[in-house]
Amino acid sequence: MTNSLSAASARVGSGLRIGVLALQGDFREHLRAIEATGAEAVGIRRPKELDGLDGLVIPGGESTAIDKLARAFDLAGPLKERIADGLPVYGSCAGMILLAADIADPATDLSGAPQQTFGGLDITVRRNAFGRQRESFETDLDFKGLDFSATESGVPPVHAVFIRGPWVERVGPDVEILAQVEPADPEHASHAVPLPGTARIVAVRSGRLLATSFHPEVTGEKRVHELFIRMIRGEA
């Protein structure tokens, strides 16, 4: 199932310039999703390319690799500063990890130093929380904030694909929970990590920062990107 943008929604990003961090991961899919909203989408690899952005997307991929490459390209410091200064950012999967204030199970390098994040979201995440590649799964989620896509039957669920996805174990007082995976869903029987009696948080928002554990860019589900655009415009 896909939820493509309507003709009106395909113009919602008109006039905006949105960067996609293009160091590693599925940045090309995010570039296409941003372009579908009518916004200009540009790949970001150097600090000077952050100038003039209305928002930024941090894609899925390997959070440790993106962390190391961002530091190698002298992007980590400028990114932290821009996020702290209020740059709107959407992070999917690895992007959620990189926006988190804390990682429950950080990877470490050869010297034992833990991986770093850009921060911004007052959350604690757990990497690969639903299991490894073979435990990838798809499910439909009730997702807050998508009222702009309502039909006569209500707001259609978001079809979410989880590929080695994190989940959120702690949210701060200013963080809104947008979506959760419910443990009773029989489609999750293949999870490597049991989910007894606990819903797992997989989408959050704080101000103009948005993060999801899953990959809307790979399913044709465009409404999460449209929500991000509307957040930038102050319409959501």
Side-chain angles (χ1 to χ4, degrees), residues 17 32 58 91:
R17 188 170 187 266
R32 287 193 289 269
I58 304 175

Side-chain angles (χ1 to χ4, degrees), residues 18-205:
I18 310 298
V20 178
L21 193 61
L23 300 176
Q24 192 268 345
D26 61 348
F27 56 88
R28 294 178 184 85
E29 289 83 353
H30 279 288
L31 287 166
R32 287 193 289 269
I34 291 296
E35 288 172 347
T37 71
E40 177 188 1
V42 293
I44 304 299
R45 296 180 179 88
R46 302 288 182 182
K48 65 180 181 180
E49 294 168 345
L50 293 171
D51 295 341
L53 294 182
D54 296 296
L56 178 72
V57 175
I58 304 175
E62 296 286 345
S63 62
T64 52
I66 297 173
D67 165 34
K68 291 176 182 177
L69 288 168
R71 284 184 276 152
F73 282 77
D74 295 322
L75 259 172
L79 273 173
K80 291 177 184 178
E81 292 175 4
R82 296 298 178 93
I83 293 170
D85 288 342
L87 177 69
V89 183
Y90 165 45
S92 69
C93 200
M96 170 184 271
I97 296 170
L98 290 161
L99 283 175
D102 301 294
I103 304 176
D105 57 340
T108 55
D109 62 20
L110 294 177
S111 68
Q115 71 182 101
Q116 300 178 24
T117 72
F118 307 136
L121 282 172
D122 184 12
I123 61 174
T124 299
V125 297
R126 183 171 296 277
R127 302 178 310 117
N128 301 324
F130 291 103
R132 294 289 178 175
Q133 193 83 15
R134 65 178 179 272
E135 280 85 36
S136 299
F137 68 97
E138 303 179 27
T139 191
D140 288 339
L141 299 173
D142 292 328
F143 197 110
K144 294 181 181 178
L146 303 182
D147 294 345
F148 57 81
S149 68
T151 66
E152 292 182 357
S153 302
V155 177
V158 167
H159 189 67
V161 174
F162 293 84
I163 306 170
R164 299 176 60 196
W167 66 42
V168 178
E169 296 198 341
R170 178 195 64 84
V171 297
D174 297 324
V175 177
E176 179 183 7
I177 297 170
L178 299 181
Q180 300 182 83
V181 169
E182 300 296 336
D185 192 332
E187 292 184 18
H188 302 154
S190 65
H191 286 172
V193 180
L195 304 177
T198 303
R200 300 301 183 178
I201 301 167
V202 295
V204 294
R205 172 187 179 178

Side-chain angles (χ1 to χ4, degrees), residues 210-231:
L210 174 69
T212 63
S213 301
F214 56 90
H215 296 265
E217 71 280 2
V218 303
T219 63
E221 170 58 81
K222 301 295 195 302
R223 291 175 297 161
V224 176
H225 291 82
E226 181 177 354
L227 172 62
F228 180 52
I229 294 294
R230 289 177 179 271
M231 287 168 55

